[in-house]
Amino acid sequence: MAPRILLARHGQTQWSLLGKHTGRTDIPLLDEGRRGAKLLGERLHQAPWAGLPDVEVRTSPLVRADETCELAGFGDRASAWDAL
């Protein structure tokens, strides 16, 4: 089977709420973004994903992405990747 990539965007920020491009600006998550990250984690820890065992997890070094990854339950095995 060919490798697959699953991409998840960071949770909602004030700028994403307004439709602004955040780029490399380190805008924090809103409470709604934190809730969304937790819901994403809940979904990815159920079938058919089952927590994505043996999957390499990468995150942007920006706070909003790192926090999203942590809240989704993957922070303990994530590595920051500046290319993101």
Side-chain angles (χ1 to χ4, degrees):
M1 178 188 285
R4 294 190 294 171
I5 297 174
L6 175 68
L7 297 175
R9 189 168 187 260
H10 62 77
Q12 188 178 65
T13 67
Q14 185 64 38
W15 281 22
S16 63
L17 180 65
L18 298 172
K20 291 183 174 184
H21 176 69
T22 52
R24 302 294 286 179
T25 306
D26 213 356
I27 306 296
L29 295 177
L30 295 175
D31 288 342
E32 181 61 27
R34 290 182 187 92
R35 278 191 291 278
K38 289 177 186 177
L39 288 172
L40 173 66
E42 289 173 13
R43 183 160 189 184
L44 292 177
H45 282 85
Q46 296 174 10
W49 307 105
L52 301 165
D54 305 319
V55 170
E56 183 177 338
V57 178
R58 301 245 180 137
T59 183
S60 161
L62 297 176
V63 172
R64 65 180 176 268
D66 184 61
E67 184 178 7
T68 298
C69 187
E70 188 70 39
L71 290 168
F74 295 97
D76 61 333
R77 59 186 173 132
S79 57
W81 193 28
D82 196 49
L84 295 172

